[in-house]
Amino acid sequence: MKILKILWHIVGIACSAMILPSFVSSITTALLSLQPQRMVIFFIYPLMSSSAAAEISNMRAVLTAGAGYLMYLIAFAYAFWLIKQIYGWYKKAKQLDKNTN
């Protein structure tokens, strides 16, 4: 079980490190320059990157796009899980602080 938890953290951190900076950049560019197409480009990027693989085979294009969207899902799930964990720690610390005072 501990090995799975370590693997979850490794995969989550790796996917988050690759996806979330681009996501934040897309959001800020879309909001500050009032160009919502930047957000659309972020979400269709795995499909655009798989077009080069489509020249080799259609199955490779599907696998490339699928891997890209899987990374998106893992990154957002890991970020959500991490925020939930941190909020739980905050609540515990607040409760301990309340009990000690």
Side-chain angles (χ1 to χ4, degrees), residues 29-65:
T29 303
L31 292 177
L32 293 176
S33 64
L34 299 173
Q35 295 178 342
Q37 67 266 22
R38 295 282 188 186
M39 284 302 299
V40 174
I41 290 170
F42 173 78
F43 286 109
I44 64 168
Y45 181 74
L47 290 175
M48 293 186 324
S49 65
S50 69
S51 65
E55 295 176 4
I56 299 169
S57 72
N58 286 338
M59 188 61 183
R60 185 172 173 128
V62 169
L63 290 175
T64 303

Side-chain angles (χ1 to χ4, degrees), residues 14-36:
C15 290
S16 296
M18 288 187 273
I19 300 297
L20 293 180
S22 175
F23 179 68
V24 170
S25 173
S26 295
I27 287 178
T28 54
T29 303
L31 292 177
L32 293 176
S33 64
L34 299 173
Q35 295 178 342

Side-chain angles (χ1 to χ4, degrees), residues 5-20 71 73-79 81-82:
K5 193 172 187 180
I6 291 169
L7 286 175
W8 164 245
H9 285 297
I10 290 171
V11 170
I13 290 170
C15 290
S16 296
M18 288 187 273
I19 300 297
L20 293 180
M71 284 179 55
L73 289 174
I74 291 171
F76 288 120
Y78 187 76
W81 177 81
L82 201 58

